[in-house]
Amino acid sequence: MKILVLGPGAREHAIVLSLLSEDAGHSIVCAPGNAGIAASGVETVDLAFTDPTAVTKYVSDRGFDLVIIGPEAPLVAGVADPLRAGGVPVFGPNADAAQLEGSKAFAKRIMDEAGVPTGRAAKVTDAASAGAVLDDFGAPYVVKADGLAAGKGVLVTEDRDAAIAHVATWAPHGEVLVEEFLDGQEVSLFFFADGRDVVPLTPAQDYKRIFDGDQGPNTGGMGAYSPLPWLPGGTEAFVEEIKQTVAIPTVRQLADEGTPFIGLLYCGLIVTPKGVRVIEFNARFGDPETQVVLARLESPLSAYLLAAAQGELASLPEPTFSDEPAMIVVLASEGYPGDTTTGREITGLDAAAAVTGVHLVHAATARTENGGWIATGGRVLGVVSRGQNFAEARGRAYSAMNEIDLEGGQFRSDIAERVA
Ligand code: AMP
Ligand code: GLY
């Protein structure tokens, strides 16, 4: 197949590596991609990938059998819409259905209509009226800005004044929700969706905070692992429950409203003592969870993405996953998730990639003139490892990470520790 993958990061690198591993002779282009994706032998193209007009022109000039949209920005910008209208198979929802990620208020309404289990929430319009709502919900306080806020819109805090200040910051920009605090382990579970039917992938756990022990500010994700041996009832029963109570009702609700969801339904879940609750939906593959989920995927990814794009998921069996665990440790630049220092040299990548059971995915790197590497962003790259068990996978991931040098580089040392 001729496949176009849109997006610049490690998630797209993982998708590309999974497509290459099919050995199906796909011709893959990634736009814009990154230097790591190019080093994997894939053509990268400098394209305004969040601009529907630019992408549509490129696709009609070059011709593709499948377009895979990685990040949320092009989805919310409506890149899928003209492609789908023009008959191109696209994996990624139209802008209206992408509101499931783009607007927390929209997502809450869909969940309510579909009867999906989620925490209580209330809209607040200004700081003056927020106090009474916060007191009603009690501490810890959860305050969420509507709309894409690059991870900065959500505040979870014990500090009532900070919660009110967060409302004051975001209320002028749109709706703000106060939510019931949900206590428990977080799970990310993805489903392929074709507008009507869904096919599950397998659960992973993300590490959102910057520091060990889940301390410090939220990030895009500093690590992940899969499977989750502690899931109540085991993986199979858990996946089936979420499919029946969350994924199918959500996709059917969107279809009934005339905004069918075709793409990747990311269910962000918390396992509470009272049962599983949805804390958020995303309309795309999670990063870095995708890197570990696809590292375990044994079925051909392209078959599912194409079937979803063509409304034919019901014809496919559920994909299978290796029993071997996988994990990823993310390397970030100094200062991340605040102001980051970039442009620094990275060394040791070849030695890291040579560790048994390890491969690297690049998020923000560039080549130097003499063939070296520099870091160009916050999250720089990830070390993905597999092993017969988590102890082995952890040993491999961290010995690879220890081969890599980046001045001021940060990574968590406790990824998958709770399961090893
Ligand atoms: P979100 O962008 O909605 O996923 O929120 C970012 C992070 O905030 C989540 O990954 C959770 O760690 C935390 N969070 C969000 N909503 C809640 C909630 N209702 N209760 C507890 N933690 C939450
Ligand atoms: N790792 C969290 C996300 O992709 O939203």
Side-chain angles (χ1 to χ4, degrees), residues 206 208 220 266 282 284 286-289:
D206 182 20
K208 289 217 167 71
Y266 169 131
N282 291 319
R284 39 115 192 136
D287 186 346
E289 299 97 306

Side-chain angles (χ1 to χ4, degrees), residues 43-282:
E43 180 185 353
T44 57
V45 172
D46 191 15
L47 179 68
F49 71 102
T50 61
D51 176 1
T53 309
V55 173
T56 306
K57 177 164 189 329
Y58 180 73
V59 169
S60 79
D61 287 351
R62 291 273 304 246
F64 288 97
D65 304 309
L66 175 64
V67 177
I68 303 165
I69 304 179
E72 59 275 25
L75 294 169
V76 171
V79 166
D81 298 53
L83 294 173
R84 185 163 285 124
V88 178
V90 187
F91 187 81
N94 282 9
D96 48 13
Q99 286 304 300
L100 202 56
E101 171 165 2
S103 163
K104 297 207 183 272
F106 178 89
K108 274 285 175 198
R109 184 184 65 73
I110 294 291
M111 284 190 255
D112 287 345
E113 305 268 350
V116 167
T118 183
R120 256 184 342 127
K123 279 182 212 168
V124 289
T125 45
D126 54 44
S129 62
V133 179
L134 292 168
D135 292 338
D136 175 30
F137 281 76
Y141 307 104
V142 180
V143 183
K144 297 187 178 184
D146 198 44
L148 295 182
K152 298 195 180 94
V154 177
L155 181 70
V156 181
T157 180
E158 295 277 348
D159 180 346
R160 189 173 176 279
D161 292 340
I164 290 183
H166 198 70
V167 175
T169 303
W170 288 97
H173 303 286
E175 272 178 26
V176 177
L177 296 178
V178 171
E179 242 178 63
E180 171 188 8
F181 176 79
L182 298 167
D183 198 13
Q185 290 288 329
E186 284 188 44
V187 180
S188 303
L189 178 57
F190 306 156
F191 292 84
F192 301 119
D194 69 2
R196 182 183 161 75
D197 292 307
V198 300
V199 169
L201 285 93
T202 198
Q205 186 167 54
D206 182 20
Y207 287 74
K208 289 217 167 71
R209 304 291 185 123
I210 182 76
F211 300 129
D212 281 8
D214 297 328
Q215 301 298 308
N218 266 330
T219 71
M222 293 300 292
Y225 67 91
S226 175
L228 313 184
W230 45 264
L231 280 175
T235 299
E236 209 175 311
F238 181 88
V239 169
E240 186 60 24
E241 180 193 334
I242 303 307
K243 179 177 171 182
Q244 298 302 337
T245 62
V246 177
I248 291 177
T250 300
V251 168
R252 297 280 157 89
Q253 180 66 30
L254 287 164
D256 289 349
E257 296 191 7
T259 53
F261 188 97
I262 298 166
L264 198 285
L265 178 66
Y266 169 131
C267 302
L269 309 164
I270 293 199
V271 182
T272 79
K274 292 187 197 153
V276 184
R277 301 279 184 275
V278 176
I279 50 165
E280 66 163 345
F281 285 123
N282 291 319

Side-chain angles (χ1 to χ4, degrees), residues 13 19 31 34 46 54 60 67 82 91 103 114 148-149 177 207 233 266 285 307 312 316 334 345 378 380 401 420:
H13 198 177
L19 295 171
N34 61 43
D46 191 15
S60 79
V67 177
F91 187 81
S103 163
L148 295 182
L177 296 178
Y207 287 74
Y266 169 131
F285 283 101
E312 292 169 356
L316 291 183
E334 183 170 1
E345 189 182 12
V380 176
M401 192 57 101

